[in-house]
Amino acid sequence: MPSFPKPAFPYTVNLSKEIKAIRAYRDSKPDIKIPASTENNLRIATWNIANLGAQEREESHLKILAEILSWFDIISVQETKENSNDFQRIVAFMGKTYKFIFSDEGGNNERIAFIYNSRKITLLQEVAELSIPPSEYPSIKITGVAQTFEGFDRCPYMASFRIKNFEFILLGVHLYFGDDTEEKSINRRCLEAYCVGRWAELRGKSKYSFNGIKNVFALGDFNLPMIDENNKIYKALVARGLLLPAHTTKIYSNISDDKMYDQIAFLPDAKTRIISQGVFPFDNAVFADIYNSHTKKEFKDYIKYYLSDHRPMWLELDIS
């Protein structure tokens, strides 16, 4: 998306105060508490960090982002721009055990990245952008959508990992958005969503899947307005067997509190491993001084520019 306007008012961040506030908020309610790391769990997260590398964040903002990211074992990050300097600084602030890989730039000059705790997780050999041969394009079709699939705007990015004896593949995505009012844009998004689900199903069933890995997770910004059986994008995403978390907390993934854009989708075999899941509404904890002294719009605009307009979503798995 285009960069958000930079807030006009000055503000000096008290970093220690903000870190203390988000930690206290994280631990204050059972439905948003991030599980602690154990030898028998895997905490997967996804976060669209708005225009990372294009908006002029200060070091204190990068450290707040790093603090939240460090609560997870592995994270898919979307909207990392071709200029990856801020992204690399965030990973450095997370600590020496955190490593990263990322894709080449795609639509909107965006990369898709994975950050992982190398003390707990091993990166395996299969790392690639998802490639769909043009000969398969006719197979990517949905009833009621006459439009044809012509490839991804931002190629999904996959990587294979191991934790203990549990091997898995993550597919990081940021699906096409276009315009929510234009049928052509929504149909293109549907076709991309269906393609992700088709790939996951075929990969899960293939006898040639790398190392025989059947644990496949597609995660990221699906630009999915709502979990609704009547929603075209949702139906396209789950048409080939992908499942989505139950969303029992009813916390939306955008700070406007009206969309479920971000998701962690999985094949049915993973369902029995899920311990907990959630969305962390960091915007309810940060920058209380701005909230108390400015308009709601000014507060939201500050968060969108210096942190993000999306919230991180996470899934905890049992890997014992």
Side-chain angles (χ1 to χ4, degrees), residues 135-196:
S135 61
E136 293 185 19
Y137 287 3
S139 299
I140 301 167
K141 56 186 179 181
I142 306 170
T143 301
V145 174
Q147 198 166 318
T148 57
F149 180 74
E150 297 179 351
F152 288 97
D153 183 56
R154 292 170 283 249
C155 285
Y157 185 52
M158 76 174 78
S160 54
F161 301 91
R162 178 190 296 120
I163 177 170
K164 296 178 65 175
N165 294 320
F166 183 72
E167 294 185 339
F168 60 101
I169 291 175
L170 297 187
L171 181 74
V173 305
H174 189 184
L175 297 190
Y176 181 77
F177 183 79
D179 188 333
D180 251 342
T181 64
E182 184 184 346
E183 190 69 9
K184 184 177 179 181
S185 292
I186 294 173
N187 285 341
R188 179 172 180 178
R189 210 183 315 166
C190 287
L191 290 168
E192 288 195 3
Y194 178 79
C195 188
V196 168

Side-chain angles (χ1 to χ4, degrees), residues 291-309:
Y291 182 84
N292 292 327
S293 61
H294 290 73
T295 67
K296 183 176 180 179
K297 182 181 185 303
E298 288 173 327
F299 173 71
K300 292 286 188 181
D301 287 348
Y302 188 92
I303 290 174
K304 288 195 295 185
Y305 187 86
Y306 287 112
L307 296 182
S308 184
D309 60 333

Side-chain angles (χ1 to χ4, degrees), residues 279-294:
V279 172
F280 182 66
F282 65 91
D283 47 301
N284 291 341
V286 293
F287 309 132
D289 292 342
I290 300 177
Y291 182 84
N292 292 327
S293 61
H294 290 73

Side-chain angles (χ1 to χ4, degrees), residues 31-96:
D31 59 346
I32 61 170
K33 184 174 177 63
I34 310 300
S37 176
T38 74
E39 64 176 15
N40 291 321
N41 74 350
L42 171 62
R43 303 165 305 165
I44 299 173
T46 180
W47 198 359
N48 179 327
I49 302 178
N51 297 302
L52 183 57
Q55 296 173 187
E56 298 175 4
R57 291 169 171 89
E58 299 167 8
E59 182 173 296
S60 57
H61 302 115
L62 300 180
K63 287 183 175 179
I64 292 172
L65 293 168
E67 166 68 22
I68 296 172
L69 289 165
S70 71
W71 299 344
F72 307 103
D73 301 313
I74 188 165
I75 313 102
S76 172
V77 178
Q78 303 89 53
E79 289 202 22
T80 296
K81 293 293 190 175
E82 184 180 16
N83 176 1
S84 65
N85 291 339
D86 279 356
F87 172 79
Q88 294 189 54
R89 292 178 70 198
I90 288 171
V91 179
F93 290 141
M94 292 172 68
K96 292 183 179 180

